[in-house]
């Protein structure tokens, strides 16, 4: 991911709110790599809005910097999707920011789904996430 | 409209792309004042995407500046919505930017509608726009 | 604050990242009301980047909704600026989101300032924040 | 360039204002390929704000679409930078949008520079742009 001119504020550093896009980029890349995207979720008749989002800003990203976004899936039994993120600045390997997000499942009537949807359980199995628990 | 910190770039002036939001603010305010909003359009089973958008940047807006957006409706017989905009900087009345936008009508199947929809003709009549032509 | 069309995502609700703008609106309004703005900080030769930002999303805001942002200053002895936020949806008084932010002080060489700058102490005094402690 | 979830509006298509970012991506990529970036311009003590920006929207980009941005430099004798853009949707090669931008040169005092700066003339020579004129 390369920092866009439009993402930088008048201090010459990435405006803090833009890290929400970078975390989303991380989720997208994770979804692409592991077969779990917004479009898959929607095809399975669910929405997954965020209920929690945290940022810790460590060192600023500047215009022209390249960054690497590391996205880790944290498993829970409950019907939620938990990711942790670390953004590294490529030029010096410094951590630019860390954070986490939690998403829940809604059905297409926008009602909260309290039990893990089948397609999510299938995905976990495919990922081998249940293995260690059995 | 007050310039947000997040709308200013590393030159300390509003990033040019953010004027698209200001023009949208202008359309919203116009719609609210004259009973012609996105939600009205949608309730009447149409969408009105932009097909053309132009900006001319005159003098920069800075963080903390207040601006006034003047939005003028330009009537056409064809099935389109044409607005012209002028953004003034309140602190010195200088013109910050001018521009225009053209929107067309789609039905909910997203097909182009070539004839003015009834609700739009009704709105024009209510606005007295046809008066001068009869 | 009125939700902009451009702030709403394909689910028809405000995209979660846009709440960073709303919290900034809250800080701005607080700064304006209490004489403590980015521009004051800058005039006093400091920058105040965020080091922490948290969101909890409760009920979605939709296009056209009006929201009220409540911004509370939380005092600390340390050289940091701590705000808590609650965003209410005007149409039903429901809480849309809560959150908090922590900012630190940098001097214009971008070095971390560990002791409360004089202008910040002066501002606290003016606000009567030290009263209860003496 | 891949369409981000956050760039899509409630109609499920890229919000028109986000094309300003895509054009900027095009300028960046052009600058990187041809040694003419914002940072080069700044190192040569100039700023190059936009004075004109036009969009024509042809077919919508949707979430998950990949797009190719073609950026063409149009030469003028005057001290300005003129680009034309075409954005193609990779999935069907359809043109999503076209447009153009014009930038001018300011010195670091933010005064308009009416004569082509030397570094820009040098860049044109390196690009062979003057050849056909001699």
């Amino acid at each position: 991911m390369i920092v866009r001119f439009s993402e930088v504020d008048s201090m010459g550093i990435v405006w803090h709110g833009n890290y929400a896009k970078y975390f989303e980029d991380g989720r997208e890349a994770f979804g692409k790599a592991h077969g779990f995207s917004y479009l898959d979720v929607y095809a399975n008749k669910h929405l997954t809005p965020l209920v929690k989002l945290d940022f810790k800003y460590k060192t600023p990203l500047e215009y022209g910097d390249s960054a690497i976004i590391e996205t880790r899936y944290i498993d829970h039994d409950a019907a939620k999707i938990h990711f942790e993120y670390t953004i590294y600045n490529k030029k010096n390997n410094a951590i630019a920011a860390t954070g986490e997000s939690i998403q829940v499942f809604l059905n297409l009537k926008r009602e909260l789904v309290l039990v893990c949807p089948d397609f999510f359980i299938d995905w976990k199995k495919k990922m081998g996430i249940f293995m260690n628990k059995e």
Side-chain angles (χ1 to χ4, degrees), chain A:
Chain A
M1 186 269 311
I2 296 173
V3 171
R4 281 176 165 159
F5 180 79
S6 61
E7 293 170 346
V8 167
D9 67 19
S10 62
M11 294 190 270
I13 61 174
V14 170
W15 180 65
H16 60 269
N18 285 323
Y19 286 81
K21 295 183 198 166
Y22 300 165
F23 282 9
E24 195 157 84
D25 287 349
R27 285 196 298 282
E28 299 278 304
F30 180 94
K32 205 163 257 184
H34 301 295
F36 187 69
S37 73
Y38 275 107
L39 295 173
D40 297 325
V41 168
Y42 195 77
N44 282 288
K45 299 189 189 312
H46 285 82
L47 303 169
T48 52
L50 274 86
V51 292
K52 189 177 186 298
L53 179 61
D54 290 359
F55 301 95
K56 289 202 172 62
Y57 304 101
K58 305 295 187 182
T59 60
L61 288 169
E62 296 176 359
Y63 170 61
D65 282 352
S66 290
I68 292 168
I69 306 160
E70 200 182 276
T71 308
R72 290 176 303 281
Y73 171 79
I74 311 294
D75 193 50
H76 295 271
D77 289 336
K80 61 182 175 184
I81 309 172
H82 182 180
F83 284 112
E84 285 181 356
Y85 311 85
T86 307
I87 299 182
Y88 297 92
N89 193 331
K90 258 192 185 171
K91 78 181 170 202
N92 55 9
N93 276 315
I95 293 179
T98 62
E100 60 180 331
S101 66
I102 293 180
Q103 293 163 271
V104 293
F105 292 92
L106 303 184
N107 61 27
L108 295 188
K109 288 180 201 158
R110 312 239 165 162
E111 297 159 338
L112 187 66
V113 172
L114 292 171
V115 178
C116 265
D118 285 345
F119 80 95
F120 188 48
I121 292 178
D122 289 347
W123 176 81
K124 286 190 184 194
K125 282 181 183 159
K126 216 170 58 193
M127 291 286 286
I129 288 170
F130 279 166
M131 274 195 204
N132 299 330
K133 299 191 178 171
E134 289 172 298

